[in-house]
Coordinates of all heavy atoms in Angstrom, one line a residue:
M30 N 269.9 28.7 32.5 CA 271.2 29.1 32.1 C 271.6 28.0 31.0 O 271.3 26.9 31.1 CB 272.2 29.1 33.2 CG 273.6 29.4 32.8 SD 274.5 29.9 34.2 CE 275.5 31.2 33.5
L31 N 272.3 28.5 30.0 CA 272.7 27.7 28.9 C 274.2 27.3 29.0 O 275.0 28.2 29.1 CB 272.4 28.4 27.6 CG 272.5 27.6 26.3 CD1 271.5 26.5 26.3 CD2 272.3 28.5 25.1
Y32 N 274.5 26.1 29.0 CA 275.9 25.6 29.1 C 276.3 25.0 27.8 O 275.6 24.2 27.2 CB 276.0 24.6 30.2 CG 275.8 25.1 31.6 CD1 274.5 24.9 32.2 CD2 276.7 25.8 32.2 CE1 274.3 25.4 33.5 CE2 276.5 26.3 33.5 CZ 275.3 26.1 34.1 OH 275.0 26.6 35.4
K33 N 277.5 25.4 27.3 CA 278.1 24.8 26.1 C 278.5 23.4 26.4 O 278.9 23.0 27.5 CB 279.3 25.6 25.7 CG 279.0 27.0 25.1 CD 280.3 27.6 24.6 CE 280.1 29.0 24.0 NZ 281.3 29.5 23.5
P34 N 278.5 22.6 25.3 CA 279.1 21.2 25.4 C 280.5 21.3 25.8 O 281.3 22.2 25.5 CB 278.9 20.6 24.0 CG 277.8 21.4 23.4 CD 277.9 22.8 24.0
D35 N 281.0 20.3 26.6 CA 282.4 20.2 27.0 C 283.2 19.7 25.8 O 283.3 18.5 25.5 CB 282.5 19.3 28.2 CG 283.9 19.2 28.7 OD1 284.8 19.9 28.2 OD2 284.1 18.4 29.7
T36 N 283.9 20.7 25.2 CA 284.7 20.3 24.0 C 286.0 19.6 24.4 O 286.8 19.3 23.5 CB 285.0 21.5 23.1 OG1 285.6 22.6 23.9 CG2 283.7 22.1 22.5
N37 N 286.3 19.4 25.7 CA 287.5 18.7 26.1 C 287.2 17.2 26.1 O 288.2 16.4 26.4 CB 287.9 19.2 27.5 CG 288.4 20.6 27.5 OD1 289.2 21.0 26.6 ND2 288.0 21.4 28.5
K38 N 286.0 16.8 25.9 CA 285.7 15.4 25.9 C 286.4 14.7 24.7 O 286.5 15.4 23.6 CB 284.2 15.1 25.7 CG 283.4 15.5 27.0 CD 281.9 15.2 26.9 CE 281.2 15.5 28.2 NZ 279.8 15.3 28.1
P39 N 286.8 13.5 24.8 CA 287.6 12.8 23.7 C 286.9 12.8 22.4 O 287.5 12.9 21.3 CB 287.8 11.4 24.3 CG 287.7 11.5 25.7 CD 286.7 12.7 26.0
A40 N 285.5 12.8 22.4 CA 284.8 12.7 21.1 C 285.1 13.9 20.2 O 285.2 13.8 19.0 CB 283.3 12.7 21.4
F41 N 285.4 15.1 20.8 CA 285.7 16.3 20.0 C 287.1 16.3 19.5 O 287.5 17.2 18.8 CB 285.4 17.5 20.9 CG 283.9 17.8 21.1 CD1 283.3 17.5 22.3 CD2 283.1 18.2 20.0 CE1 282.0 17.7 22.5 CE2 281.8 18.4 20.2 CZ 281.2 18.2 21.4
N42 N 287.9 15.3 19.8 CA 289.2 15.2 19.2 C 289.2 14.2 18.0 O 290.3 14.1 17.3 CB 290.2 14.7 20.3 CG 290.5 15.7 21.3 OD1 290.6 16.9 21.0 ND2 290.5 15.3 22.6
I43 N 288.1 13.6 17.7 CA 288.0 12.7 16.6 C 288.0 13.7 15.3 O 287.2 14.7 15.3 CB 286.7 11.9 16.6 CG1 286.8 10.9 17.8 CG2 286.5 11.1 15.3 CD1 285.5 10.2 18.1
P44 N 288.8 13.4 14.3 CA 288.9 14.3 13.2 C 287.6 14.8 12.6 O 287.5 16.0 12.3 CB 289.7 13.5 12.2 CG 290.6 12.6 13.0 CD 289.7 12.2 14.2
C45 N 286.6 14.0 12.5 CA 285.3 14.4 11.9 C 284.5 15.3 12.9 O 283.6 16.0 12.4 CB 284.5 13.2 11.5 SG 284.0 12.1 12.9
F46 N 284.9 15.4 14.1 CA 284.2 16.3 15.1 C 285.0 17.6 15.4 O 284.5 18.4 16.2 CB 283.9 15.6 16.4 CG 282.8 14.5 16.2 CD1 283.0 13.2 16.4 CD2 281.5 14.9 15.9 CE1 282.0 12.3 16.3 CE2 280.5 14.0 15.8 CZ 280.7 12.7 16.0
V47 N 286.2 17.7 14.9 CA 287.0 18.9 15.2 C 286.2 20.2 14.8 O 286.2 21.2 15.5 CB 288.4 18.8 14.6 CG1 289.1 20.2 14.7 CG2 289.2 17.7 15.3
H48 N 285.6 20.1 13.6 CA 284.8 21.3 13.1 C 283.7 21.6 14.1 O 283.4 22.8 14.3 CB 284.3 21.0 11.7 CG 283.5 22.1 11.1 ND1 284.0 23.3 10.8 CD2 282.2 22.2 10.8 CE1 283.1 24.1 10.4 NE2 281.9 23.5 10.4
K49 N 283.0 20.6 14.7 CA 282.0 20.8 15.6 C 282.5 21.6 16.8 O 281.8 22.4 17.4 CB 281.3 19.5 16.0 CG 280.5 18.9 14.8 CD 279.7 17.8 15.2 CE 279.0 17.1 14.0 NZ 277.9 17.9 13.5
R50 N 283.7 21.2 17.3 CA 284.3 21.9 18.4 C 284.5 23.4 18.1 O 284.2 24.3 18.9 CB 285.6 21.3 18.8 CG 286.3 21.9 20.0 CD 287.6 21.2 20.4 NE 288.5 21.2 19.3 CZ 289.5 20.3 19.1 NH1 289.6 19.3 20.0 NH2 290.3 20.4 18.1
E51 N 284.9 23.7 16.9 CA 285.1 25.1 16.5 C 283.7 25.8 16.4 O 283.6 27.0 16.8 CB 285.7 25.2 15.1 CG 287.2 24.7 15.1 CD 287.7 24.5 13.7 OE1 287.1 24.8 12.7 OE2 288.9 24.0 13.6
L52 N 282.7 25.2 16.0 CA 281.4 25.8 15.9 C 280.9 26.1 17.4 O 280.4 27.2 17.6 CB 280.4 24.8 15.3 CG 280.5 24.7 13.7 CD1 279.7 23.5 13.2 CD2 280.2 26.0 13.0
I53 N 281.0 25.2 18.3 CA 280.6 25.4 19.7 C 281.4 26.6 20.2 O 280.8 27.4 20.9 CB 280.9 24.1 20.5 CG1 279.9 23.0 20.1 CG2 280.7 24.4 22.0 CD1 280.2 21.6 20.6
D54 N 282.7 26.6 20.0 CA 283.5 27.7 20.5 C 283.0 29.1 20.0 O 283.2 30.1 20.6 CB 285.0 27.5 20.1 CG 285.6 26.4 20.9 OD1 285.1 26.0 22.0 OD2 286.7 25.9 20.5
N55 N 282.4 29.1 18.8 CA 281.9 30.3 18.2 C 280.4 30.5 18.3 O 279.8 31.3 17.6 CB 282.3 30.3 16.7 CG 283.8 30.5 16.5 OD1 284.4 31.4 17.0 ND2 284.5 29.5 15.8
N56 N 279.8 29.8 19.3 CA 278.4 29.9 19.5 C 277.5 29.6 18.3 O 276.5 30.3 18.1 CB 278.0 31.2 20.2 CG 278.7 31.4 21.5 OD1 278.7 30.5 22.3 ND2 279.3 32.6 21.7
K57 N 277.9 28.6 17.6 CA 277.1 28.2 16.4 C 276.6 26.8 16.6 O 277.2 25.9 17.3 CB 278.0 28.1 15.1 CG 278.7 29.5 14.9 CD 277.8 30.4 14.2 CE 278.6 31.7 13.8 NZ 277.7 32.7 13.3
C58 N 275.4 26.5 16.0 CA 274.8 25.1 16.0 C 275.8 24.1 15.3 O 276.3 24.4 14.2 CB 273.5 25.2 15.4 SG 272.7 23.5 15.2
T59 N 275.9 22.9 15.9 CA 276.8 21.9 15.3 C 276.2 21.3 14.1 O 276.8 20.5 13.4 CB 277.1 20.8 16.3 OG1 275.9 20.3 16.9 CG2 278.0 21.4 17.4
E60 N 274.9 21.5 13.8 CA 274.2 21.0 12.6 C 274.1 22.0 11.5 O 274.5 21.9 10.4 CB 272.9 20.4 13.0 CG 273.0 19.1 13.9 CD 273.8 18.0 13.2 OE1 273.5 17.7 12.1 OE2 274.7 17.5 13.9
C61 N 273.3 23.1 11.8 CA 273.0 24.1 10.8 C 274.0 25.3 10.7 O 273.9 26.1 9.8 CB 271.6 24.6 11.0 SG 271.3 25.6 12.4
E62 N 274.8 25.4 11.8 CA 275.8 26.4 11.9 C 275.3 27.8 12.1 O 276.0 28.8 11.9 CB 276.8 26.3 10.7 CG 277.5 25.0 10.6 CD 278.6 24.9 9.5 OE1 279.0 26.0 9.0 OE2 279.1 23.8 9.3
K63 N 274.0 27.9 12.5 CA 273.5 29.3 12.8 C 273.8 29.6 14.2 O 274.1 28.8 15.0 CB 272.0 29.3 12.6 CG 271.6 29.1 11.1 CD 270.1 29.2 10.9 CE 269.8 29.1 9.4 NZ 268.4 29.1 9.1
D64 N 273.7 30.9 14.5 CA 274.0 31.4 15.9 C 273.1 30.7 16.9 O 271.9 30.5 16.7 CB 273.8 32.9 16.0 CG 274.8 33.7 15.2 OD1 275.9 33.1 15.0 OD2 274.5 34.8 14.9
I65 N 273.6 30.4 18.1 CA 272.9 29.9 19.2 C 272.4 31.0 20.0 O 273.1 31.9 20.4 CB 273.8 29.0 20.1 CG1 274.2 27.7 19.3 CG2 273.1 28.6 21.4 CD1 273.1 26.7 19.0
K66 N 271.0 31.0 20.3 CA 270.4 32.0 21.1 C 269.6 31.4 22.2 O 268.7 30.6 21.9 CB 269.5 32.9 20.2 CG 270.2 33.6 19.1 CD 269.3 34.3 18.2 CE 270.1 35.0 17.1 NZ 269.3 35.3 15.9
E67 N 270.0 31.7 23.4 CA 269.4 31.0 24.5 C 267.9 31.2 24.6 O 267.1 30.2 24.9 CB 270.0 31.5 25.9 CG 269.4 30.8 27.1 CD 270.1 31.1 28.3 OE1 271.1 32.0 28.3 OE2 269.8 30.5 29.4
E68 N 267.4 32.3 24.2 CA 265.9 32.6 24.2 C 265.1 31.7 23.2 O 263.9 31.6 23.4 CB 265.6 34.0 24.0 CG 266.0 34.6 22.6 CD 267.4 35.1 22.5 OE1 268.2 34.9 23.4 OE2 267.8 35.7 21.4
E69 N 265.8 31.0 22.3 CA 265.1 30.2 21.3 C 264.8 28.8 21.9 O 264.0 28.1 21.3 CB 265.9 30.1 20.0 CG 265.9 31.4 19.3 CD 266.6 31.4 18.0 OE1 267.2 30.4 17.6 OE2 266.6 32.4 17.3
F70 N 265.5 28.4 23.0 CA 265.2 27.1 23.6 C 263.9 27.1 24.3 O 263.7 28.0 25.1 CB 266.4 26.6 24.4 CG 267.6 26.4 23.6 CD1 268.6 27.3 23.5 CD2 267.8 25.1 23.0 CE1 269.8 27.1 22.7 CE2 269.0 24.9 22.3 CZ 269.9 25.8 22.1
K71 N 263.1 26.0 24.1 CA 261.8 26.1 24.7 C 261.6 25.5 26.1 O 260.6 25.8 26.7 CB 260.8 25.3 23.7 CG 261.1 23.9 23.4 CD 260.1 23.4 22.4 CE 260.5 22.0 21.9 NZ 259.6 21.5 20.9
D72 N 262.6 24.8 26.5 CA 262.6 24.2 27.9 C 263.9 23.8 28.4 O 264.9 23.8 27.6 CB 261.5 23.1 28.0 CG 261.8 22.0 27.0 OD1 263.0 21.8 26.6 OD2 260.8 21.3 26.6
E73 N 264.0 23.4 29.6 CA 265.3 23.0 30.2 C 265.8 21.7 29.6 O 267.0 21.6 29.5 CB 265.1 22.8 31.7 CG 264.9 24.1 32.5 CD 266.0 25.1 32.3 OE1 267.2 24.7 32.4 OE2 265.7 26.3 32.1
L74 N 265.0 20.8 29.2 CA 265.4 19.6 28.5 C 266.1 19.9 27.2 O 267.2 19.4 26.9 CB 264.3 18.7 28.2 CG 264.6 17.3 27.6 CD1 265.6 16.5 28.6 CD2 263.4 16.5 27.4
S75 N 265.6 20.9 26.4 CA 266.2 21.3 25.2 C 267.6 22.0 25.5 O 268.6 21.8 24.7 CB 265.3 22.3 24.4 OG 264.1 21.7 24.1
K76 N 267.7 22.8 26.6 CA 269.0 23.4 26.9 C 270.0 22.3 27.3 O 271.1 22.4 27.0 CB 268.8 24.3 28.1 CG 268.0 25.6 27.7 CD 267.9 26.5 28.9 CE 267.1 27.8 28.5 NZ 267.0 28.7 29.7
K77 N 269.5 21.3 28.0 CA 270.4 20.2 28.4 C 270.9 19.5 27.2 O 272.1 19.1 27.1 CB 269.7 19.2 29.3 CG 270.6 18.1 29.8 CD 269.9 17.3 30.9 CE 270.9 16.3 31.4 NZ 270.4 15.5 32.5
E78 N 270.0 19.2 26.2 CA 270.4 18.6 24.9 C 271.5 19.4 24.2 O 272.5 18.9 23.7 CB 269.2 18.3 24.0 CG 269.6 17.7 22.7 CD 270.4 16.4 22.8 OE1 270.1 15.6 23.6 OE2 271.3 16.2 22.0
Y79 N 271.3 20.7 24.2 CA 272.3 21.6 23.7 C 273.7 21.4 24.3 O 274.7 21.3 23.7 CB 271.9 23.1 23.7 CG 273.1 24.0 23.4 CD1 273.5 24.1 22.1 CD2 273.8 24.6 24.4 CE1 274.7 24.9 21.8 CE2 274.9 25.4 24.1 CZ 275.3 25.5 22.8 OH 276.4 26.3 22.5
S80 N 273.6 21.3 25.7 CA 274.9 21.1 26.4 C 275.6 19.8 26.1 O 276.8 19.6 26.4 CB 274.7 21.2 27.9 OG 274.1 20.0 28.4
I81 N 274.9 18.9 25.5 CA 275.5 17.6 25.0 C 275.8 17.6 23.6 O 277.0 17.3 23.2 CB 274.4 16.4 25.3 CG1 274.1 16.3 26.8 CG2 274.9 15.1 24.7 CD1 272.9 15.4 27.1
S82 N 274.9 18.0 22.7 CA 275.1 17.9 21.3 C 275.5 19.2 20.6 O 276.1 19.1 19.5 CB 273.8 17.4 20.6 OG 272.8 18.4 20.8
G83 N 275.2 20.3 21.2 CA 275.5 21.6 20.5 C 274.5 22.0 19.5 O 274.7 22.9 18.7
M84 N 273.3 21.3 19.5 CA 272.3 21.7 18.5 C 271.4 22.7 18.9 O 270.9 22.7 20.1 CB 271.5 20.4 18.1 CG 272.3 19.4 17.3 SD 271.2 18.1 16.7 CE 270.7 17.3 18.2
C85 N 271.0 23.6 18.0 CA 270.0 24.6 18.3 C 268.6 24.0 18.4 O 268.4 22.8 18.1 CB 270.0 25.7 17.2 SG 269.3 25.1 15.6
Q86 N 267.6 24.8 18.9 CA 266.3 24.2 19.1 C 265.7 23.7 17.8 O 265.1 22.7 17.7 CB 265.3 25.3 19.7 CG 263.9 24.8 20.0 CD 264.0 23.8 21.1 OE1 264.4 24.1 22.2 NE2 263.5 22.6 20.8
K87 N 265.8 24.5 16.7 CA 265.3 24.0 15.4 C 265.8 22.7 15.0 O 265.1 21.8 14.5 CB 265.6 25.1 14.3 CG 265.0 24.7 13.0 CD 265.3 25.8 11.9 CE 264.7 25.4 10.6 NZ 265.2 26.2 9.5
C88 N 267.1 22.5 15.1 CA 267.7 21.2 14.7 C 267.3 20.1 15.6 O 267.0 19.0 15.2 CB 269.3 21.3 14.7 SG 269.8 22.3 13.3
Q89 N 267.2 20.4 16.9 CA 266.7 19.4 17.8 C 265.3 19.0 17.5 O 264.9 17.8 17.4 CB 266.6 19.9 19.3 CG 268.0 20.1 19.9 CD 267.9 20.6 21.3 OE1 267.0 20.2 22.1 NE2 268.8 21.4 21.7
D90 N 264.4 19.9 17.1 CA 263.0 19.6 16.7 C 263.0 18.8 15.5 O 262.2 17.8 15.4 CB 262.2 20.9 16.5 CG 262.0 21.6 17.8 OD1 262.1 21.1 18.9 OD2 261.6 22.8 17.7
E91 N 263.9 19.0 14.5 CA 263.9 18.3 13.3 C 264.4 16.9 13.5 O 263.9 15.9 12.9 CB 264.8 19.0 12.3 CG 264.2 20.3 11.7 CD 265.1 21.0 10.8 OE1 266.3 20.6 10.5 OE2 264.7 22.1 10.4
I92 N 265.4 16.7 14.4 CA 266.0 15.4 14.6 C 265.1 14.5 15.5 O 264.9 13.3 15.3 CB 267.4 15.5 15.1 CG1 268.3 16.0 14.0 CG2 268.0 14.2 15.7 CD1 269.7 16.4 14.3
F93 N 264.6 15.1 16.6 CA 263.9 14.4 17.6 C 262.4 14.4 17.5 O 261.7 13.7 18.2 CB 264.3 14.8 19.0 CG 265.8 14.7 19.3 CD1 266.5 15.8 19.6 CD2 266.4 13.5 19.2 CE1 267.9 15.7 19.9 CE2 267.8 13.3 19.4 CZ 268.5 14.5 19.8
G94 N 261.9 15.3 16.6 CA 260.5 15.4 16.4 C 259.9 16.3 17.4 O 259.0 16.5 18.1

């Protein structure tokens, strides 16, 4: 199961992150802004990372290798 990041965390109230909160609310990646699709995540660790950062699998792969 895919869980969205908790946008009630204080970090999402920082002005530079407000846009990321909107992206999460609209099921978009916080980096590339493409639609989030659960079936694209390759494992549970990637899903967990999404629940923290809001990044899609492609962006996670680019950032973390």
Side-chain angles (χ1 to χ4, degrees):
M30 180 162 219
L31 191 64
Y32 295 99
K33 288 184 178 184
D35 182 0
T36 56
N37 292 315
K38 290 183 178 179
F41 289 104
N42 291 318
I43 297 171
C45 63
F46 287 116
V47 171
H48 179 67
K49 292 188 183 288
R50 181 175 58 207
E51 293 169 2
L52 290 168
I53 291 166
D54 289 343
N55 290 303
N56 297 316
K57 304 280 184 185
C58 175
T59 55
E60 293 298 311
C61 69
E62 302 187 9
K63 292 185 179 176
D64 290 336
I65 293 293
K66 297 176 183 159
E67 184 171 2
E68 63 272 9
E69 292 180 357
F70 290 95
K71 58 185 174 185
D72 54 29
E73 290 302 314
L74 185 59
S75 297
K76 289 180 182 182
K77 185 172 183 175
E78 177 57 40
Y79 168 73
S80 75
I81 297 167
S82 66
M84 289 189 293
C85 69
Q86 184 68 60
K87 182 179 176 192
C88 289
Q89 289 181 39
D90 290 344
E91 289 175 4
I92 290 172
F93 302 121

